[in-house]
């Protein structure tokens, strides 16, 4: 089929006015000016009219487990208080609640134009029971603070669960789908052994790794000065605290993964900045448009185009999908969305200013 729109933003060259995309099966096969696409390709035309056609958005970090906690945890005074509040809520939930929560989260994310999600789940054993409506990179989130002697066991069980993820839209890297990953939760909840085991397996099995690092001032206080509410809370759980009192979380992390050195070099290393929504236990929606808008308010000197890259091209690269997702290009997965044309002269400003549900979405060639 041929999908035509007033403007096509490919992220692979300048936007195309009166553009069109030819889709065959689950792939994009051609993109360009509507007249040229019509000449080169057979098939029915779907004319989306006065809309901007864009690559589907990629959420680089979220926890759909907690979609059901929407509005339940008011903003807390501190990160430690937030952890206590979410732990109290989690104690009331059963596996069936988490399954409903994850499904609800997928549906909401898709309504906001997200076609690929890097989703951390604390319940990898539930993955086989879920059929995601968008491409999903499942990360098994692992915490061993209460039983560090079981680190290896925990990782091995997670790998087994990940292997049972349903194959729909969770394809191998070569097929352009999303791979699998491990998420040792954070430096303060995952032991060194757990990080090491995840690192070894990731390297051996070519799977992805993600973690939470330097999220709060309290985490900085804990590692740098062995002080503060997070330090006291984590200590009370029984974690050995002998790595606290000298380094920043980032220094500690770089030492742990054997890349010790000054964090000041990070900028020059060209970090690949991506946007994510985190969960509804700490955010109001699963919309990446809202995240792009919030980023723009915070960093007005960054161009709208660059911000849009943080929800398309950059996370595609982070998930090792840069040759399959995040752009409208021949051979790429047919993940497409639209936003209405608003009349603003800069198309990227129009995209970032869009606040609602997307009018049209295609995932892997299907609407
Ligand atoms: Zn998170």
């Amino acid at each position: 089929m041929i999908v035509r729109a007033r403007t096509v933003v490919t992220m692979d060259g300048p936007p195309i006015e009166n553009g069109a995309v030819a889709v065959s099966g689950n792939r994009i096969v051609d993109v360009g000016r509507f007249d040229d696409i019509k000449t080169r390709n057979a098939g029915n035309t779907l004319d989306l009219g006065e809309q901007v056609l864009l690559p589907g958005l990629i959420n680089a970090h979220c926890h759909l487990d907690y979609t059901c906690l929407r509005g339940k945890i008011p903003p807390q005074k501190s990160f430690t208080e937030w952890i206590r509040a979410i732990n109290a809520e989690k104690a009331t939930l059963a596996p069936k609640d988490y399954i409903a929560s994850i499904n609800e989260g997928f549906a909401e994310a898709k309504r906001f134009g997200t076609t690929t999600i890097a989703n951390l789940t604390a319940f990898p054993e539930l993955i086989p029971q879920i059929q995601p409506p968008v491409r999903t990179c499942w990360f098994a989130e692992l915490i061993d603070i209460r039983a560090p002697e079981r680190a290896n066991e925990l990782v091995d069980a997670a790998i087994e669960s990940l292997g049972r993820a349903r194959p729909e839209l969770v394809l191998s890297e070569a097929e352009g789908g999303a791979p699998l990953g491990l998420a040792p939760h954070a430096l303060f909840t995952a032991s060194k052994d757990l990080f090491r085991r995840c690192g070894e397996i990731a390297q051996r099995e070519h799977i992805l790794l993600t973690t939470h690092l330097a999220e709060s001032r309290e985490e900085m206080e804990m590692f740098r000065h062995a002080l503060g509410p997070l330090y006291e809370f984590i200590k009370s759980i029984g974690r050995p605290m002998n790595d606290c009192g000298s380094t920043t979380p980032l220094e500690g992390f770089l030492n742990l993964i054997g890349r010790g050195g000054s964090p000041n070099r990070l900028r020059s290393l060209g970090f690949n900045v991506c946007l994510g929504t985190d969960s509804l236990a700490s955010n109001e929606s699963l919309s990446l448009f809202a995240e792009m808008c919030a980023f723009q308010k915070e960093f007005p000197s960054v161009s709208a185009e660059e911000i849009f890259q943080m929800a398309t091209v950059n996370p595609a690269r982070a998930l090792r999908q840069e040759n399959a997702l995040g752009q409208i290009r021949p051979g790429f997965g047919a993940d497409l969305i639209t936003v209405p044309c608003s009349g603003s002269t800069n198309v990227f400003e129009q995209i970032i200013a869009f606040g609602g549900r997307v009018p049209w979405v295609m995932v892997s060639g299907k609407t």
Side-chain angles (χ1 to χ4, degrees):
M1 76 189 281
I2 294 168
V3 185
R4 186 240 159 230
R6 153 102 175 254
T7 310
V8 177
V9 171
T10 64
M11 300 310 281
D12 177 36
I16 304 164
E17 289 305 314
N18 190 20
V21 180
V23 173
S24 176
N26 58 5
R27 304 265 161 183
I28 293 163
V29 290
D30 201 0
V31 55
R33 290 189 53 85
F34 179 50
D35 295 341
D36 299 334
I37 295 297
K38 235 178 13 184
T39 318
R40 294 199 293 254
N41 300 276
N44 295 335
T45 298
L46 171 68
D47 189 348
L48 295 167
E50 293 297 292
Q51 300 199 57
V52 187
L53 187 63
L54 4 148
L57 306 183
I58 304 176
N59 189 337
H61 180 101
C62 73
H63 309 252
L64 298 182
D65 293 352
Y66 309 126
T67 309
C68 62
L69 298 184
R70 180 196 310 266
K72 293 233 167 108
I73 304 176
Q76 303 288 318
K77 282 197 294 289
S78 73
F79 180 64
T80 310
E81 290 307 308
W82 180 83
I83 292 181
R84 286 183 200 276
I86 189 172
N87 283 348
E89 290 291 342
K90 277 155 70 174
T92 67
L93 300 173
K96 67 169 177 29
D97 301 318
Y98 285 116
I99 291 175
S101 195
I102 294 168
N103 284 329
E104 191 193 324
F106 273 128
E108 170 161 335
K110 190 178 175 185
R111 287 196 291 273
F112 286 122
T114 298
T115 55
T116 299
I117 300 189
N119 185 45
L120 284 70
T121 178
F123 309 98
E125 67 280 8
L126 301 179
I127 295 174
Q129 298 179 53
I130 292 161
Q131 214 171 342
V134 299
R135 292 181 204 270
T136 308
C137 179
W138 289 103
F139 285 88
E141 185 172 68
L142 303 170
I143 290 178
D144 69 340
I145 189 168
R146 290 176 199 276
E149 69 286 354
R150 294 183 50 222
N152 290 0
E153 217 180 294
L154 195 66
V155 178
D156 296 349
I159 287 291
E160 218 185 297
S161 299
L162 288 172
R164 289 201 300 270
R166 301 172 73 112
E168 300 92 346
L169 298 174
V170 192
L171 311 173
S172 73
E173 283 173 64
E175 288 169 309
L180 301 166
L182 290 170
H185 173 254
L187 276 186
F188 54 89
T189 49
S191 68
K192 285 192 170 65
D193 286 344
L194 185 64
F195 271 100
R196 285 205 187 101
R197 182 72 170 180
C198 288
E200 278 164 24
I201 293 192
Q203 202 143 36
R204 201 178 69 206
E205 315 270 338
H206 300 288
I207 63 174
L208 299 168
L209 286 173
T210 190
T211 193
H212 295 83
L213 184 67
E215 276 182 291
S216 63
R217 288 183 191 286
E218 288 154 77
E219 184 180 341
M220 178 67 97
E221 232 185 330
M222 167 175 164
F223 285 103
R224 192 118 178 91
H225 305 297
L227 280 174
L230 188 65
Y231 177 85
E232 294 304 331
F233 175 58
I234 295 294
K235 190 177 164 195
S236 75
I237 298 175
R239 178 191 186 276
M241 305 302 270
N242 48 10
D243 57 344
C244 299
S246 57
T247 59
T248 65
L250 186 54
E251 282 165 340
F253 179 72
L254 293 175
N255 289 335
L256 186 68
I257 61 168
R259 306 253 175 98
S262 165
N264 293 333
R265 291 180 49 243
L266 289 180
R267 251 182 94 88
S268 61
L269 291 174
F271 258 44
N272 178 30
V273 178
C274 306
L275 297 180
T277 57
D278 217 18
S279 78
L280 294 191
S282 61
N283 199 350
E284 287 161 13
S285 87
L286 297 173
S287 166
L288 282 169
F289 288 102
E291 293 306 318
M292 290 191 281
C293 192
F295 188 97
Q296 192 177 44
K297 276 202 187 104
E298 192 80 16
F299 304 100
S301 64
V302 180
S303 75
E305 181 172 358
E306 218 176 314
I307 297 171
F308 189 56
Q309 287 169 356
M310 296 175 190
T312 51
V313 182
N314 296 5
R317 197 168 118 216
L319 296 174
R320 297 188 194 138
Q321 301 293 308
E322 65 270 40
N323 296 317
L325 301 173
Q327 297 172 58
I328 301 181
R329 273 175 77 167
F332 275 47
D335 295 0
L336 305 167
I337 61 170
T338 58
V339 297
C341 291
S342 68
S344 160
T345 47
N346 181 323
V347 71
F348 292 103
E349 293 289 346
Q350 284 182 45
I351 295 170
I352 288 180
F354 177 71
R357 293 177 174 191
V358 296
W360 185 85
V361 51
M362 171 182 273
V363 182
S364 195
K366 294 201 178 75
T367 52

